[in-house]
Every structure is written in C-alpha cells, then in structure tokens.
C-alpha cells in the first residue's frame, strides 16, 4: 500500500497537474504593473513616497534618452534599464524600500552613464539616431509639442499630483522644445466644478506650479515658464458629468513666441 501511494504521488508531481507555471509566466511579482499610481489627496506621506518620486524621475530620464536615440545606439542597456525600472516597482509594491533604494541608486548611475555614452557617439558620428529634424517644419514640431502638453487625464480628483502618463508627455515635450528655443510656455491651472471658488483657485494654481516644477526637472529653463490659475471658471466642457470633470481637471499650456512674450512682458502680474 505504501509503495502504491509513493508511486501515485510521484506520478502526480511529474504530470501536467504540477503547480509550477510555464517559463516566464510565474511569480507573484510578475503580476504587478510597471507603473506607480499617483498619490491620493488624503494619503499620508512617508519615506516610500520619496522613493516613488525618485522612480518617476528615473522613468522620465529614460524616456528622454530613448527619444534622443538611446534605444537605437545602445539597445541592450535600454532593455536592462527598463527591466530595472520594473523591478523597482515590484519592490515598492512589496514594501521592500531598502532594496528599492539600492536599485534606484544603480539605475541613476546607469542612466547617467548611458547619457554620457549617447552624447559621445552622437558627437563622433558613430551612431546617428533620428531626431526632431524629422519634422518637415517648425510649425509641425510646435503643433506636436502643443498636443503633448494639452492631452487629457492629467490629474486625479482634488489633487495637484501629475498622473504618470502625463508626466511622460511633459518629458517628451521638453525634449522637443530644445529645437525651438524661441518658444516659452504659459501654464494655466484649472479645476472641475466640484468645490468652492477659493479652493478651486488654490488647487488650480498648485497644479500649474506642479507642472512647472516637472518641466524644470526635465530640463526647461524657469525663465521660459510662466504660470496662472483660473479655478473652475474656464471649463473645457460644461456640465458636472464625470467625463467632463475629468477633462476639466487640467492645465492648459500655450506656446508663446519670444517676440510676443517680450511685448506682453510689461502686462504680466
């Protein structure tokens, strides 16, 4: 009887009923998304939020390097950096702050080295990636920048924190603005129809300043950015439906040419 049970158990382990997953399909960590949700307004801040911010900066730095051609010139390094970004997310989701902090340091060094290598091969002509020169004219490039800066779904309800996807659009826009030094940006904060006028004015200004902060982090000079806020007085869509409120939680960003900016400089508050 014992031998039969042993044989049956051995066959069961070796059969298709095994609990082991197929290669590349297992591990609880593989179920996590490769992104981090924005901080909610009522969420208490802790040390992990600093790590989340560092992760976002690394992700956007990598986005900019890819836009500059890093994936074409150094595909293996970019792949490694993306895998490390995903690993840091899993560590943050799992509460492994110490491991995440160590990997963030490694990622920061990797991206800095990649940036120097990319600059070197571009200067030498060893690798010539596609760039913003692919646009037929400056007007087309300006239109693309405007679209990136003014996409929907920028903020969560009652929050000035920038959604990660919109943060990526800001990074891409700043990269393209390097080829258009004659443009500055005027950032106007908006709020949806929920709440009082004073609170909405304050929230919309916080949103504008937060976007300005990220534009600066991604490399745009503060002298090229002005901010304003209108609260809920200038909605993109009228009505209190959820889809309208989502779109109205935004900043609107205008591209201002240098000559026009100089002419209006005296009228700025």
């Amino acid at each position: 009887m014992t031998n039969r049970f042993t044989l049956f158990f051995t066959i069961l382990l070796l059969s298709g009923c095994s609990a082991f997953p197929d290669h590349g399909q297992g591990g609880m960590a593989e179920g996590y998304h490769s992104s981090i949700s924005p901080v909610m307004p009522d969420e208490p801040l802790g040390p992990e939020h600093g790590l989340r911010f560092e992760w976002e900066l690394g992700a956007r730095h990598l986005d900019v390097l890819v836009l500059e051609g890093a994936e074409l010139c150094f595909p293996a390094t970019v792949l490694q950096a993306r895998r490390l970004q995903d690993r840091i997310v899993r560590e943050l989701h799992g509460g492994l702050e110490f491991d995440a902090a160590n990997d963030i340091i490694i990622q920061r060094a990797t991206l800095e080295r990649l940036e120097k290598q990319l600059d070197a091969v571009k200067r030498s002509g060893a690798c010539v990636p596609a760039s913003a020169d692919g646009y037929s004219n400056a007007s087309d490039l300006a239109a693309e920048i405007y679209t990136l800066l003014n996409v929907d779904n920028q903020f969560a309800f009652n929050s000035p924190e920038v959604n990660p996807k919109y943060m990526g659009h800001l990074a891409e826009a700043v990269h393209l603005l390097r080829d258009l030094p004659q443009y500055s940006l005027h950032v106007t904060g908006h709020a949806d129809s929920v709440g009082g006028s004073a609170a909405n004015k304050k929230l919309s200004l916080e949103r504008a300043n937060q976007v300005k902060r990220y534009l600066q982090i991604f490399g745009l000079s503060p002298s090229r950015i002005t901010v304003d806020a209108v609260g809920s007085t200038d909605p993109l869509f009228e009505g209190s439906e959820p889809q309208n409120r989502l779109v109205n939680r935004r900043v609107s960003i205008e591209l201002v040419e240098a000559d026009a900016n100089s002419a209006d400089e005296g009228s700025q508050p």
Side-chain angles (χ1 to χ4, degrees):
M1 182 68 179
T2 302
N3 290 337
R4 283 185 181 178
F5 178 81
T6 302
L7 179 61
F8 172 78
F9 186 69
T10 302
I11 293 173
L12 181 63
L13 285 176
L14 297 176
S15 70
C17 296
S18 171
F20 295 104
D22 295 334
H23 178 70
Q25 303 298 318
M28 292 177 62
E30 291 187 18
Y32 286 122
H33 299 293
S34 58
S35 63
I36 298 175
S37 59
V39 180
M40 294 294 102
D42 57 349
E43 184 178 346
L45 296 179
E48 70 277 7
H49 291 93
L51 296 175
R52 289 167 61 172
F53 178 72
E54 289 289 337
W55 179 89
E56 289 287 358
L57 289 183
R60 303 293 76 83
H61 190 182
L62 180 57
D63 288 342
V64 170
L65 291 175
V66 168
L67 286 169
E68 292 179 344
E71 194 164 21
L72 175 64
C73 300
F74 301 99
T77 304
V78 170
L79 178 61
Q80 178 184 0
R82 282 176 170 157
R83 287 179 173 173
L84 188 54
Q85 285 293 119
D86 292 345
R87 176 177 173 178
I88 295 168
V89 170
R90 295 195 295 268
E91 289 167 343
L92 291 174
H93 274 292
L96 304 175
E97 284 86 3
F98 183 79
D99 293 329
N102 284 335
D103 282 336
I104 285 172
I105 293 172
I106 295 171
Q107 182 74 318
R108 189 185 301 138
T110 299
L111 295 178
E112 289 174 356
R113 183 172 63 253
L114 177 60
E115 184 173 10
K116 292 177 181 177
Q117 291 173 331
L118 183 61
D119 289 342
V121 297
K122 289 168 71 174
R123 283 195 304 268
S124 67
C127 182
V128 184
S131 67
D133 296 334
Y135 289 86
S136 58
N137 54 59
S139 296
D140 289 344
L141 179 54
E144 174 65 15
I145 293 170
Y146 181 85
T147 300
L148 288 167
L149 293 171
N150 291 282
V151 296
D152 293 341
N153 196 12
Q154 302 171 2
F155 300 93
F157 173 68
N158 196 34
S159 173
E161 291 301 323
V162 177
N163 284 341
K165 188 172 183 180
Y166 182 54
M167 201 182 298
H169 290 308
L170 294 177
E172 186 174 353
V174 170
H175 168 71
L176 295 176
L177 278 165
R178 296 178 184 180
D179 294 326
L180 294 175
Q182 71 272 30
Y183 283 105
S184 60
L185 300 181
H186 184 65
V187 183
T188 302
H190 300 263
D192 63 26
S193 58
V194 177
S197 58
N200 282 335
K201 183 69 176 289
K202 178 177 179 291
L203 177 60
S204 64
L205 182 59
E206 290 174 348
R207 285 172 172 164
N209 282 324
Q210 187 76 324
V211 167
K212 178 181 179 180
R213 176 189 180 199
Y214 279 113
L215 290 170
Q216 292 177 230
I217 288 172
F218 298 142
L220 195 64
S221 169
S223 63
R224 297 178 65 183
I225 312 169
T226 57
V227 299
D228 195 5
V230 297
S232 58
T233 61
D234 186 23
L236 196 59
F237 293 104
E238 297 287 347
S240 57
E241 293 80 4
Q243 63 271 22
N244 291 348
R245 288 168 43 208
L246 174 64
V247 173
N248 290 333
R249 296 194 293 267
R250 75 192 201 282
V251 294
S252 55
I253 304 182
E254 302 171 37
L255 276 73
V256 184
E257 289 195 72
D259 290 342
N261 189 44
S262 300
D264 294 337
E265 190 171 339
S267 63
Q268 290 292 332

